[in-house]
C-alpha cells in the first residue's frame, strides 16, 4: 500500500474542497429526525450534491456518479467531514441499498432506483428488524405471499431509522410457512403504499429517529423484489457486509471528531489530570489506525479482493471508538456538556452530549457487537459455536 497520494488524487481533493467551500450551507440544517421541514432541508442538500455529481462518487456516470475508485471516495469523505457538511439523510439508500442494487439488481431496477436515490428524490429506510427478530434476523415473521405478478406483504417492522419521513423501504419478508434462512425475499416497497402504517418512535430527547412499520395486505409488483425469490438472506448478508465493512462509517467521521476532541482538550487541559490527555491521544491514534486499515481494505478491494467476516472487526472498532471519543469529551466538559443549544441539527460532533447518546447505539445497530464477536470467533478464528 502506498502511503502518499498521487498528483491526480491531490487534484481531486482540491476539486472536492473547492466545491464544498462554495456549497456547504453556512448554518446547520435543522434535524432530519425532528420535523418534515428538517428532513426536506436535508433532501435539498442531497439534490445539491447530486447536481454537482457528488451524490455517490463511486457510482457509474449513468446513475449520477463519477465512476471513481474507493481511494477517491475516502478522499471525498475526508473533505466532506472537514467542510462540516450535513449528515447524509439517505445513507441507508446510498451506502447500503445502492451497492446491493449494483450487485443484485436488474437493469430495470438500477435504472428506476439508483439515479433517484443519488438525487435524493427517493430517501430510503431499512425495514429488517421486527419485535422478535433483531440479532436473530432469521426469525423474521413478516410475509410475502405471491399472487401472480404481485406480492402481498403482511407483518410488522420496528426500529426503522428515518422511516417516519422516508419515501421507500427495503424489507426482508418470508414465504408463509418457510423457516429460518430459507424462503426469504428482499422486497422494495413505497412507504406511502395502501396498507402501510408508520408509527414514529420518539427517542428520549423527542427526536423521531425510528418508526414501526405495519403492513396490512400491501401489494407490490414482483419486479420490486431484489435478487432471486427465496434468496433474501443471501442478499441481506451482502448488504450487512456493506453496512459493517466500509461504506456506512468512513474513517473521516472519527478523524474529524478526534481532532475536535484534541482541540477541546487543549482548551481545557490546565484543569485536567494527565490520564485524560492519554485517553485523547488513544482516541486520536485509534481514529488514525482505523483510517489506515480502511485505506488498506480499499486498496485490496480495488485490486479485486473481497471483504468477508472481517467487516465485523471494523464494526466493533468504529462503534467502540465513537463511544470512547464522546465519553472522553463529556469527561472534559463535566456538567457543561449538558448546556446545548435548542436545535443543533444532525451534527453529533458539535454537540458532544447528543453525539454521545447516538454513539451509545453504535454497539447495537448494524448487528450488535456481541453478534459481531460471535461471527469473528466462528468465521475468522474457526472456534466452535457457543
Ligand atoms: C440507532 C439504531 C438504529 C437502528 N436502525 C435500524 C434500521 O434502520 N432498520 C432496522 O431494520 N433495524 C434498525 N435497528 C435495529 C437493530 O438492528 C437491532 O436493535 C439490533 O439488530 C439488535 O436487535 P434487538 O434490538 O432486537 O436486540 P436483541 O436481538 O434482543 O439482543 C439483545 C441483547 O442480547 C444480545 N444477544 C442476542 N443474541 C445473542 C447471541 N446469540 N450471543 C450473544 N449475545 C446475544 C445482543 O447482542 C444484545 O446485547 C436500529 C437500532 C438502533 C439502536
Amino acid at each position: 500500500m502506498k502511503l502518499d497520494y498521487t498528483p491526480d488524487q491531490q487534484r481531486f481533493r482540491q476539486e472536492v474542497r473547492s466545491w464544498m467551500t462554495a456549497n456547504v450551507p453556512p448554518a446547520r440544517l435543522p434535524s432530519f429526525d425532528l420535523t418534515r421541514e428538517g428532513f426536506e432541508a436535508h433532501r435539498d442538500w442531497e439534490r445539491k450534491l447530486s447536481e454537482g455529481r457528488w451524490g455517490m462518487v463511486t457510482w457509474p456516470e449513468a446513475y449520477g456518479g463519477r465512476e471513481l475508485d474507493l481511494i477517491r471516495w475516502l478522499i471525498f469523505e475526508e473533505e466532506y467531514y472537514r467542510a462540516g457538511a450535513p449528515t447524509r439523510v439517505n445513507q441507508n439508500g446510498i451506502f447500503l441499498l445502492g451497492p446491493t442494487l449494483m450487485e443484485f439488481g436488474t437493469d430495470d431496477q438500477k435504472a428506476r432506483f439508483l439515479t433517484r436515490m443519488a438525487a435524493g428524490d427517493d430517501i430510503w429506510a431499512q425495514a429488517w428488524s421486527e419485535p422478535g427478530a433483531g440479532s436473530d434476523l432469521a426469525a423474521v415473521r413478516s410475509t410475502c405471499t405471491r399472487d401472480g405478478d404481485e406480492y402481498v406483504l403482511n407483518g410488522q417492522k420496528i426500529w426503522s431509522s428515518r422511516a417516519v419521513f422516508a419515501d421507500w423501504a427495503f424489507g426482508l419478508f418470508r414465504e408463509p410457512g418457510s423457516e429460518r434462512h430459507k424462503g426469504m425475499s428482499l422486497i422494495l416497497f413505497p412507504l406511502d403504499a395502501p396498507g402501510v402504517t408508520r408509527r414514529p418512535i420518539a427517542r428520549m430527547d423527542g427526536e423521531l429517529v425510528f418508526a414501526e412499520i405495519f403492513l396490512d395486505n400491501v401489494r407490490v409488483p414482483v419486479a420490486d423484489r431484489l435478487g432471486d425469490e427465496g434468496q433474501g438472506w443471501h442478499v441481506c448478508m451482502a448488504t450487512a457486509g456493506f453496512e459493517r465493512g466500509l461504506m456506512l462509517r468512513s474513517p473521516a467521521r472519527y478523524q474529524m471528531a478526534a481532532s475536535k476532541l484534541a482541540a477541546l482538550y487543549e482548551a481545557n487541559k490546565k484543569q485536567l489530570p494527565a490520564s485524560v490527555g492519554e485517553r485523547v491521544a488513544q482516541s486520536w491514534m485509534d481514529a488514525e489506525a482505523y483510517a489506515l486499515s480502511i485505506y488498506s481494505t480499499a486498496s485490496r478491494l480495488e485490486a479485486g479482493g473481497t471483504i468477508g467476516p472481517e467487516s465485523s472487526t471494523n464494526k466493533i472498532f468504529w462503534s467502540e471508538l465513537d463511544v470512547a471519543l464522546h465519553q472522553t469529551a463529556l469527561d472534559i466538559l463535566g456538567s457543561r456538556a449538558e448546556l446545548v443549544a435548542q436545535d443543533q441539527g444532525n451534527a453529533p460532533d458539535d454537540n458532544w452530549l447528543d453525539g454521545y447518546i447516538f454513539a451509545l447505539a453504535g454497539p447495537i445497530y448494524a448487528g450488535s457487537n456481541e453478534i459481531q464477536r460471535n461471527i469473528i470467533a466462528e468465521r475468522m478464528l474457526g472456534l466452535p459455536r457457543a
Side-chain angles (χ1 to χ4, degrees):
M1 181 171 79
K2 270 193 156 150
L3 283 178
D4 50 359
Y5 296 100
T6 64
D8 251 12
Q9 289 166 343
Q10 283 165 354
R11 267 193 299 278
F12 174 68
R13 183 185 290 286
Q14 281 313 320
E15 189 188 348
V16 184
R17 193 172 291 184
S18 308
W19 192 88
M20 292 292 163
T21 307
N23 290 285
V24 169
R28 289 276 170 221
L29 301 183
S31 165
F32 54 58
D33 286 323
L34 203 53
T35 60
R36 165 68 70 183
E37 186 195 18
F39 192 84
E40 294 304 326
H42 280 79
R43 189 199 295 278
D44 289 345
W45 168 246
E46 293 291 326
R47 290 202 169 117
K48 180 160 247 184
L49 278 171
S50 138
E51 278 160 23
R53 281 193 307 118
W54 299 113
M56 197 51 201
V57 294
T58 54
W59 288 8
E61 291 191 9
Y63 305 128
R66 293 172 172 247
E67 299 188 20
L68 299 181
D69 59 22
L70 288 171
I71 302 297
R72 281 178 176 75
W73 172 69
L74 286 166
I75 294 171
F76 170 80
E77 287 281 296
E78 285 163 16
E79 293 305 318
Y80 193 91
Y81 279 94
R82 185 197 304 273
T87 305
R88 304 292 299 265
V89 65
N90 210 11
Q91 52 187 266
N92 281 326
I94 52 175
F95 296 141
L96 304 187
L97 180 61
T100 318
L101 268 164
M102 229 63 93
E103 195 170 328
F104 296 95
T106 60
D107 288 345
D108 170 62
Q109 287 174 332
K110 290 181 198 170
R112 277 196 296 142
F113 295 120
L114 286 173
T115 313
R116 289 182 58 82
M117 193 186 290
D121 292 336
D122 294 331
I123 310 279
W124 287 80
Q126 179 189 33
W128 291 10
S129 303
E130 298 184 4
S135 301
D136 186 12
L137 190 57
V140 296
R141 291 192 315 188
S142 294
T143 54
C144 52
T145 309
R146 183 95 184 232
D147 181 16
D149 289 343
E150 290 185 323
Y151 285 114
V152 183
L153 308 180
N154 279 290
Q156 180 193 354
K157 300 290 176 178
I158 195 168
W159 307 127
S160 192
S161 300
R162 284 173 286 288
V164 176
F165 303 116
D167 308 293
W168 279 75
F170 51 104
L172 191 56
F173 297 89
R174 65 167 60 258
E175 292 156 25
S178 65
E179 293 287 334
R180 302 295 297 168
H181 307 89
K182 301 212 172 78
M184 288 180 160
S185 291
L186 193 80
I187 296 178
L188 316 178
F189 61 96
L191 282 162
D192 61 357
V196 174
T197 306
R198 298 181 243 188
R199 193 156 73 192
I201 306 173
R203 212 168 56 173
M204 63 200 237
D205 59 4
E207 301 240 343
L208 308 173
V209 177
F210 312 104
E212 285 178 287
I213 304 172
F214 298 89
L215 300 118
D216 182 12
N217 288 323
V218 177
R219 289 191 164 263
V220 294
V222 166
D224 288 352
R225 183 192 68 229
L226 181 53
D228 292 336
E229 190 161 66
Q231 294 301 307
W233 183 258
H234 176 60
V235 182
C236 277
M237 287 308 101
T239 314
F242 300 128
E243 188 171 23
R244 293 163 195 162
L246 207 65
M247 289 264 160
L248 184 66
R249 295 285 176 253
S250 70
R253 173 192 177 109
Y254 306 106
Q255 288 174 296
M256 188 47 62
S259 58
K260 284 183 181 164
L261 178 65
L264 183 71
Y265 174 70
E266 268 304 309
N268 292 276
K269 68 181 177 192
K270 284 203 192 91
Q271 306 94 305
L272 295 167
S275 59
V276 176
E278 283 161 23
R279 286 165 60 198
V280 172
Q282 186 65 53
S283 284
W284 190 87
M285 287 190 294
D286 285 349
E288 290 301 303
Y290 180 57
L292 287 173
S293 136
I294 292 295
Y295 267 99
S296 156
T297 305
S299 305
R300 202 182 71 237
L301 293 176
E302 286 301 328
T306 53
I307 187 160
E310 78 269 25
S311 61
S312 295
T313 60
N314 279 353
K315 200 263 151 164
I316 293 173
F317 198 84
W318 59 247
S319 56
E320 293 190 346
L321 168 60
D322 208 24
V323 175
L325 270 165
H326 285 86
Q327 179 67 68
T328 307
L330 293 198
D331 289 347
I332 293 173
L333 286 167
S335 52
R336 284 177 294 154
E338 289 173 40
L339 303 172
V340 293
Q342 262 301 286
D343 186 0
Q344 295 274 329
N346 296 90
D349 299 329
D350 282 357
N351 172 348
W352 291 105
L353 182 62
D354 206 30
Y356 178 67
I357 293 171
F358 187 68
L360 286 178
I364 303 171
Y365 66 81
S368 74
N369 284 9
E370 289 85 356
I371 298 299
Q372 304 314 311
R373 288 191 162 89
N374 286 349
I375 293 171
I376 291 167
E378 288 163 23
R379 293 190 223 151
M380 284 179 76
L381 304 177
L383 298 176
R385 280 179 81 102

